[in-house]
């Protein structure tokens, strides 16, 4: 059993011990093998424009299909990968896989951007911009096809080396997106030094929107500031029609959330897109110039 040091609740870590620690060790071991065994995959969640509902982009979200545990959440294994030095290899695979998938979709006539989530640890690799450029070239993609999402706290708390890596990614023509905005404690003034084109408002603000006038006031200010800085604004975690209506009224550009679609494996996403464009064609046959 775990040893406790006094009453502090501090647990002495021993490899293979029962309880949470042993569990983490087993997961870490399995995660080291997951890439090689092909257990990692990407699901894709659409971002749609608030006005016309057109598909603005897709966000790639990492999934781990564990042979015994089933699907493990990235909220659980990404922090493990960061702690155990696996995140760079996994992150590199994500970039490569997302580019490969986008190239396949483009070949099928689907034109869309794809966003990948970057861990702050990845920004410590000076050759990350070169890796990204290489993946784009290898799959015949343009820099504007790719978006890199980095959380607000990760973006603002970087040292100058990591800032330089972000600047070089932006200089390639790849868009940077500030993820989970509102959860960090960054000074708003700092925003103007960040080379980001997109700001994603964290789900926690969206949740309170329909019922809390203060949440609405904060969002109103954030949307105005982002627009003044020429950034597009995405609301994440949109689940209800009431939220959608308020976000549209506030001038939020792009919506993402279960109301529109859940993250889906690539084949399911392709069907979703096809159904959606068929619906659009039924709704507005003249717009397509068919008649
Ligand atoms: P995130 O980038 O902020 O992604 C949004 C999360 O919210 C996703 O969870 C998504 O499935 C979920 N979500 C989307 N719409 C809704 C909604 O309407 N309601 C609710 N309740 N949730 C919604 P997921 O896929 O479990 O990912 C969790 C986090 O794990 C991500 O947050 C991101 O920080 C991290 N992550 C995922 N994929 C990667 C990756 O490839 N690399 C890195 N470094 N981190 C990743
Ligand atoms: Mg994200
Ligand atoms: Mg987010
Ligand atoms: Mg989030």
């Amino acid at each position: 059993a775990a040893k406790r040091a006094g009453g502090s609740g501090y647990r002495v870590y021993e490899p293979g011990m029962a309880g949470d620690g042993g569990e983490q060790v087993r997961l870490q071991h399995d995660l080291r093998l997951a890439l090689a065994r092909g257990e990692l995959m990407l699901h894709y969640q659409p971002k749609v424009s608030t006005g016309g509902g057109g598909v603005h982009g897709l966000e790639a979200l990492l999934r781990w299909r564990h042979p015994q545990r089933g699907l493990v959440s990235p909220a659980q294994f990404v922090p493990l990968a960061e702690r155990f030095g696996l995140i760079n290899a996994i992150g590199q695979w994500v970039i490569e896989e997302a580019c490969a998938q986008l190239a396949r979709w483009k070949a099928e006539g689907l034109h869309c951007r794809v966003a990948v989530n970057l861990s702050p640890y990845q920004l410590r690799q000076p050759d990350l911009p070169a890796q990204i450029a290489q993946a784009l070239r290898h799959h015949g993609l343009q820099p504007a096809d790719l978006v890199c999402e980095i959380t607000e706290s990760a973006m603002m708390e970087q040292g100058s080396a990591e800032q330089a890596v972000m600047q070089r990614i932006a200089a390639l023509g790849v868009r940077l997106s500030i993820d989970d905005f509102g959860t960090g404690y960054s000074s708003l003034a700092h925003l103007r030094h960040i080379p980001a084109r997109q700001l994603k408002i964290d789900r926690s603000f969206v949740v309170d929107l329909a019922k809390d006038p203060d949440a609405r006031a904060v969002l109103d200010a954030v949307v105005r500031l982002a627009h003044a800085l020429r950034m597009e604004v995405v609301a994440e975690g949109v689940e209800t029609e009431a939220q959608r209506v308020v976000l549209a009224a506030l001038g939020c550009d792009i919506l993402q959330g279960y109301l529109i679609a859940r993250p889906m494996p690539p084949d399911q996403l392709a069907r979703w897109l096809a159904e959606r464009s068929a619906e659009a064609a039924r709704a507005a046959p003249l717009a397509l110039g068919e008649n």
Side-chain angles (χ1 to χ4, degrees):
K3 291 179 201 154
R4 296 206 177 255
S8 68
Y10 173 75
R11 281 152 61 109
V12 177
Y13 178 77
E14 281 166 9
M17 74 182 186
D20 286 345
E23 173 80 357
Q24 301 281 295
V25 171
R26 276 191 297 277
L27 262 183
Q28 179 204 340
H29 173 262
D30 291 353
L31 189 52
R32 280 189 193 280
L33 299 172
L35 250 187
R37 288 178 175 166
E39 293 167 6
L40 296 183
M41 56 185 298
L42 295 177
H43 283 191
Y44 296 86
Q45 187 179 32
K47 300 177 185 174
V48 304
S49 67
T50 309
V55 178
H56 185 273
L58 304 168
E59 178 177 5
L61 292 158
L62 198 47
R63 296 291 179 263
W64 179 14
R65 197 180 290 284
H66 189 284
Q68 283 87 40
R69 296 164 199 258
L71 275 189
V72 184
S73 158
Q76 206 180 341
F77 72 84
V78 166
L80 268 186
E82 288 174 335
R83 258 197 6 252
F84 295 112
L86 301 170
I87 195 64
N88 286 338
I90 291 174
Q92 178 58 31
W93 178 84
V94 168
I95 293 165
E96 177 61 30
E97 177 60 24
C99 287
Q101 182 60 62
L102 184 61
R104 286 192 286 273
W105 278 327
K106 279 196 150 187
E108 292 166 15
L110 165 69
H111 295 283
C112 210
R113 297 198 165 88
V114 73
V116 295
N117 290 283
L118 293 185
S119 157
Y121 290 82
Q122 290 176 268
L123 299 175
R124 296 183 190 169
Q125 307 173 91
D127 65 340
L128 179 67
Q131 286 176 17
I132 291 172
Q134 160 71 20
L136 290 169
R137 223 177 12 250
H138 182 235
H139 293 286
L141 300 175
Q142 302 300 314
D145 291 331
L146 187 68
V147 177
C148 290
E149 297 192 5
I150 306 172
T151 61
E152 177 196 9
S153 48
M155 259 196 203
M156 307 291 180
E157 288 157 15
Q158 296 301 338
S160 57
E162 292 88 351
Q163 296 275 2
V165 168
M166 279 197 295
Q167 295 284 358
R168 281 162 51 221
I169 294 171
L172 292 173
V174 170
R175 278 170 195 237
L176 298 186
S177 174
I178 310 177
D179 206 347
D180 299 348
F181 187 80
T183 57
Y185 295 93
S186 57
S187 116
L188 288 181
H190 200 73
L191 262 185
R192 69 196 168 97
H193 300 300
I194 300 290
R197 301 274 305 276
Q198 188 179 80
L199 185 153
K200 293 184 79 173
I201 294 168
D202 190 66
R203 182 162 64 88
S204 56
F205 288 91
V206 176
V207 167
D208 294 337
L209 252 191
K211 49 179 190 290
D212 182 359
D214 290 346
R216 201 183 155 125
V218 171
L219 254 163
D220 187 31
V222 168
V223 171
R224 284 167 197 271
L225 177 66
H227 283 168
L229 295 171
R230 297 168 302 281
M231 287 191 242
E232 54 188 15
V233 182
V234 183
E236 64 174 22
V238 183
E239 294 186 355
T240 69
E241 183 59 24
Q243 290 165 352
R244 191 190 65 74
V245 167
V246 178
L247 288 162
L250 291 175
C252 186
D253 306 294
I254 298 158
L255 306 178
Q256 188 180 27
Y258 295 168
L259 178 69
I260 295 109
R262 289 184 176 253
M264 293 173 269
D267 52 335
Q268 203 180 320
L269 185 100
R271 283 198 297 278
W272 182 87
L273 285 169
E275 279 164 26
R276 203 176 162 89
S277 59
E279 259 170 50
R282 273 197 301 278
L286 290 173
L288 291 177
E290 300 270 3
N291 292 344

